[in-house]
Amino acid sequence: MITTDDGEGGTTTETLSASESSEDPMFGAGFGMNLGDNASARVEYTIYDLSEVDGEFLSASFVWKF
């Protein structure tokens, strides 16, 4: 669901849905590295090209194992 300003003091809400027959591409790559016995770090990057929305996503995480 996307909510945008309508320019007149209100908002417009639009619900997006994917077609069941859609074949939109998504690409991603990631890298992970152990930093010892209990810690690791990860970086992931994803590009998606959907029929109504395009975007990119970058994430980084640190994992500590107890």
Side-chain angles (χ1 to χ4, degrees), residues 23-61:
E23 295 181 8
D24 299 325
M26 295 180 71
F27 304 97
F31 174 76
M33 183 171 69
N34 289 329
L35 303 173
D37 291 336
N38 296 334
S40 63
R42 299 177 189 154
V43 177
E44 299 176 13
Y45 180 70
T46 305
I47 299 172
Y48 52 96
D49 184 13
L50 305 176
S51 53
E52 295 183 21
V53 178
D54 297 337
E56 299 177 15
F57 181 75
L58 176 65
S59 69
S61 61

Side-chain angles (χ1 to χ4, degrees), residues 16-24 51-52:
L16 302 176
S17 61
S19 169
E20 291 182 23
S21 62
S22 178
E23 295 181 8
D24 299 325
S51 53
E52 295 183 21

Side-chain angles (χ1 to χ4, degrees), residues 1-4 11-15:
M1 184 180 320
I2 297 175
T3 303
T4 56
T11 58
T12 301
T13 303
E14 179 181 357
T15 303

